[in-house]
Amino acid sequence: MPVSILNRVNDFFESYAKAYEHFDTKLMAFLHNIPCTLLDDESTSIYQEASKLEGLFNQGIHFYKQHGIVHARAEVWNMHALTDKITKVKVNWKYYNAEKQPVYNCDYHYILKLDKHDQPKIVLSVSVNEKERMEAWLQQQTNK
């Protein structure tokens, strides 16, 4: 069983979480293959330009800053190598405020592929429940 990409998955998502915490949308976009696809129940978005993907991340970062969400942790739940260079990964993202209190968590599935420099990149990102979890958290904030 190939292990080259599997050995890099945890470090990859640690880098992604650090990019989020530093609001480094350029690095967040860099960690994606171009083109890449972002998928959820309501939409399918294909990004052919890193700058447009970075723009999407800038919108997300604005939301997180506005609501005091400043820390992220990616917990890799499972991974499965599909080939020597492609793996499927399930991640639970946990978001926290400045006091490191949990805000909400959500699940994603990713397809990662090693690029020509043998660096993992996100080719496909599937949001399983982020919208619902975020909306539930926002509703709780409104009811306080």
Side-chain angles (χ1 to χ4, degrees), residues 25 28-30 32-34 36 38 47 49-58:
T25 56
M28 292 169 70
F30 178 77
H32 287 73
N33 185 76
I34 299 298
C36 67
L38 306 184
Y47 289 87
E49 298 174 35
S51 61
K52 296 204 186 271
L53 184 59
E54 185 180 348
L56 174 72
F57 293 142
N58 279 320

Side-chain angles (χ1 to χ4, degrees), residues 1-9 81 83-84:
M1 172 65 58
V3 294
S4 61
I5 192 166
L6 294 179
N7 288 338
R8 298 176 183 188
V9 168
T83 71
D84 288 347

